[in-house]
Amino acid sequence: MWLGPEEVLLAGALWVTERANPFFLLQRRRGHGKGGGLTGLLVGTLDVVLDSSARVAPYRILHQTQDSQVYWAVACGSSRKEITKHWEWLENNLLQTLSIFDNEEDITTFVKGKIHGIIAEENKNEQPQNEEDPGKFKEAELKMRKQFGMPEVEKLVNYYSCSYWKGRVPRQGWLYLTVNHLCFYSFLLGKEVTLVIQWVDVTQLEKNATLLFPECIKVSTRDSELYFSMFLNINETFKLMEQLANIAMRQLLDNESFLQDKSLPKPRRPLKNISALKRDLDARAKNECYRATFRLPKDECLDGHTDCTLWTPFNKMHIPGQMFVSNNYICFASRAEEACHLIIPLREVTIVEKADSSSVLPSPLSISTKSKMTFFFANLKDRDFLVQRISDFLQRTPSKKPCGIDREWKCNVADPSSEEVPELPSSSPLAVSPTSALSHRPVSFCAGQVPTASQGLLKLFRRNSEELSGPKGAKEKMKEESWNIHFFEYGRGMCMYRTAKTRELVQKGIPENLRGELWLLFSGAWNEMVTHPGYYADLVEKSMGRYNLATEEIERDLHRSMPEHPAFQNELGIAALRRVLTAYAFRNPTIGYCQAMNIVTSVLLLYCNEEEAFWLLVALCERMLPDYYNTRVVGALVDQGIFEELTREYLPQLSEKMQDLGVISTISLSWFLTLFLSVMPFESAVVIVDCFFYEGIKFILQVSLAILDANMDKLLQCCDEGEAMTILGRYLDNVVNRQSVSPPIPHLHALLTSGDDPPLEIDIFELIKTSYEKFGNLKADDIEQMRFKQRLKVIQSLEDTAKKSVVRAVSADIGFSMEELEELYVVFKAKYLMSCYWGNNRAAAARRDQSLPYLEQYRIDVEQFTELFISLTPWACGAHTPVLAARLFRLLDENRDSLINFKEFVTGMSGMYHGDLTEKLKVLYKLHLPPALNPEETESALEATSYFTEDVTTEELDICLHCESQETQEDKGRRNENGPDKEEKGTSPQDYRYYLRMWAKEKENKKETIKDLPKMSQEQFIELCKTLYNMFSEDPVEQELYHAIATVASLLLRIGEVGKKFSNRPTRKSEDCKANNTQDPVSEEESPTSEQSQNSAVEQQPQADHEDKATTDTQREKTQQENQTLGDGSGEGQSSPLQLLSDDETKDDMSMSSYSMVSTGSLQCEDIADDTVLVGCEGSSAAARYGSTIDTDWSISFEQILASMLTETALVNYFEKKVNILQKIKDQKKVERQFSSSSDYELSSVSG
């Protein structure tokens, strides 16, 4: 490439001049190319360690003048071809012009101007892509692609200088982190290390410091552990590695995330020396953290954040923290974690104004909302810009209206968006039921006999109100009063100040009347509900009356959801539960319905109306408990791993015992999936749910630890899992809520008692208090970090389980060993994933359906199959290999969806690797019959038909007639026998047992015999010969195989002619049917006849050969004449007899002559010399008779081909030769990435 002229002081240092003229030098970097010696090794090492651009461009052109000591670099190149092109352009276009100048300064000025002009012209023509990436980064990306053979679609995210520890020796080099791979390259004094690891193969990432490895990053895969150290910014590197590995795990888990991750947003302001992709990933990480902190919808994107202070009226203080601004929200988080959190939806904002600055309150900003609350922010660094951004977002907010029509707007949208909750009486959980918002439209889901649950079911099914007037009722009213005071001081609704005081009130239990409202606020579900009015009603309308697997499971579980509660003992509660679960299953078909969702949803419906319960379920499944409710409960398994890790940290004595008993895996799933609702009395568990909606999974983990801690002594004395489960079950059964105003609901969990001792009751509030005292120091950020670590482990464990399941499922029918099948599965899956990375289209990811069995989840298309076939097949056919691969793919693709799964893939591979000669030949035979063989592929065979003869010797005719008479008599007898049976079957009443037997036979996997294979036509036989010719072309015993196949071809052609003579005699009708590719009873009956007749022809063949020897001399003379005629270029215009078995796809002309071909009745085996080309003695007459059409009467059976092959030892040895597929897989992995999209690159050898 041309370079903007740069000054070079030492032109000779580390470079060798290869060409020179008075104005330019062409130089090569020392050590590049052949030789180099010690100097070359040192230079190569320096280039790698110092990240020199000479690694990418080892050639350069310098401009010089005779009297000046200064040189100017004007071009560089990655290959000699590229640099020579530039050199020739300079010689042809500039040398003559430069010789005219007298002044050297003018020469240099002219050259610089010319080069700048060329660069400007090139830049103008190029498409402007990746302009935001700085030049240095582009250079690094070029190095990465060249060194590791990655295509252009593989994007580099960032690169770091570090050391890789190979044994105890550190290898200094460069670590390249791409979207799909971790790559490392080092070159020290001739020792080269190259590593390429896919992120989907990483099982563990750890950052640790040991005596041996000072602060290093450990990357673990299934096969190895790699250590990288000596980073300048190890924390940044580790975070980026985590993020890329996490994206890969999401890709393995579900396709949607992978598709989203491929389309990253463009940055607004480019920064220096950081790639656009790195900035995008950083922004993605910040967005995720922002959404998790404030429980915002999944599509909310952070625009920016700034330091500021917030005036808090409840304690008259300015609290320092950060303001976050996004498309729809302004949020504030104090530096002290518990001090204050604030969320202001822009839909609620009425006024944003800049207040007057003062020394006490610099740069203040006032934000007012519809609920008459005003928030004061101060100490804002760039207040004007911030106000402008907020104004821009306010203009885009759909619900934003001028203040004049504020009242009218509230009326139209009814209640959900108004959120003026402070004016409500404390007795109502929400302002007005959101169903009023839908009153202007027909609500189809309540069109049936069952009314819609427009409020919490608990209000409709209070069984007695005595508790409300007693001490419990007084306690409940005190709680409500406490919350009302809190609302007065801290605000009510989404804009409430959330402080440590709020958490204390939640821990004491939320009053039943406020529970639904506060669950919606703390979970963030309220935001999604008010921004999607009518969404739930539409979903219900679409989903009602439609049935699938999810709806069937929902129906089965409806009556198992809290059956002890009166709300679900009648059709109102059941119908509401059905609608909510069905609507969610249609919203998120990836999850659909999972057990435990019914229990959680039934509790939500007790305190909320249907729409609110639906949005709470959305918040739970998609944000608060991610991946919990899918088919593999990955999220619950991840948090189970965190629970085990926390047990090791906080309860080390108990941890080992619990691992031995295997209890944690049993208890954690039931505890976490149902939020303790299925294992604890309802009145107590609902308090757990209160705290969960405020604190998240952190609270569930700390309560679980508190439960184990409370039972530690008993658990340490347990002998088995059953005893431990009994102890924990009894403890949870007796966790009571003495403050509950609802009558106790019978708990259906097993009531376990021990002896005569009455069970000890545990107060739920005491348990919660203990959990905060002992384990309250858990941090949400730490849990997210642990989730990542466990997610790697869990998903890789699930992938290993899937691999074992698939291998076990296919191993019974396949000849490969378990080890070979596992390796093939890894290769197969890697090929599928690579198409997801580099396929340029999203079809690959889209065709993976998580609901399918493991065996069906990964499927590859013909392109990917061809690549695997070429690298793994034992039948290498040179340029013909892709043709053979496409045929095998069509043969394996039984359902014709252009995709094959792993079982179909290994079935095809096994046919080539395992079994005896017969089995392998059967596979090869099938590859030359429909559906494997396309009709188009046989068109080239038409030209070769003129080399087949129609002449048959009298001896062959006698054999033919003799066989025909025998077969015809047998055939008649068989027809006479079958006739009455068929008539009887047609007229007799239906015998059901007969049909059942027939059906059972059809269900049995019948072993295919060689007699089941259809016959091969002449054109198909020609294609088979072509394949065999290509297959043998690179074998060590090439000549022997050619001679053997020539002999076999001669024999088979004669057999085909013999078979044609007597197959022409029986009823022409059946032949017409065969020609039209139809099957009727007559043709089916005659197929064994023709097979038997051809078998007898094979048996008689030795006799025919013996009799043919009498006429050998005559035939030799004819053959010599034919060869001479063809050599002179005459004879029906055929250019070469080799057209039968060669076309553009096969072999080059150098080895064509070594192939011999024999036609009917021409020569015997001993007539074949080394370079003889054999043709039929009467080809001219055949061509005259048939022109250029295939002989449709000619056919050959598999038995005849097999019998002929067995006569040649070379062929038998070739097909019975054992090939080690594990070695081929190993070789395939080595060269897998040794390709590059740039053809000019001189790829250096990659080892390691």
Side-chain angles (χ1 to χ4, degrees), residues 726-743:
T726 303
I727 289 167
L728 291 170
R730 185 185 306 117
Y731 179 87
L732 290 169
D733 277 335
N734 291 290
V735 175
V736 296
N737 179 3
R738 297 188 180 95
Q739 299 176 12
S740 175
V741 291
S742 297

Side-chain angles (χ1 to χ4, degrees), residues 254-323:
D254 69 77
N255 294 319
E256 286 189 23
S257 294
F258 173 71
L259 295 177
Q260 290 164 6
D261 291 334
K262 283 189 77 173
S263 52
L264 296 165
K266 295 292 179 190
R268 288 192 181 87
R269 293 190 292 265
L271 303 172
K272 291 184 180 178
N273 297 328
I274 301 176
S275 73
L277 204 53
K278 170 72 167 65
R279 293 197 300 275
D280 287 336
L281 288 169
D282 288 346
R284 184 181 292 275
K286 287 178 182 175
N287 283 336
E288 286 170 1
C289 181
Y290 169 63
R291 289 193 293 262
T293 304
F294 299 104
R295 307 271 171 82
L296 298 177
K298 291 179 79 172
D299 55 354
E300 195 63 23
C301 292
L302 179 65
D303 187 68
H305 57 90
T306 182
D307 291 337
C308 67
T309 58
L310 171 67
W311 170 254
T312 50
F314 50 86
N315 60 2
K316 307 293 189 290
M317 287 178 65
H318 290 282
I319 298 179
Q322 281 192 318
M323 177 195 281

Side-chain angles (χ1 to χ4, degrees), residues 650 709 769-777:
Y650 287 99
D709 183 53
K769 185 180 175 186
T770 307
S771 76
Y772 273 102
E773 287 172 355
K774 292 190 174 182
F775 310 106
N777 59 347

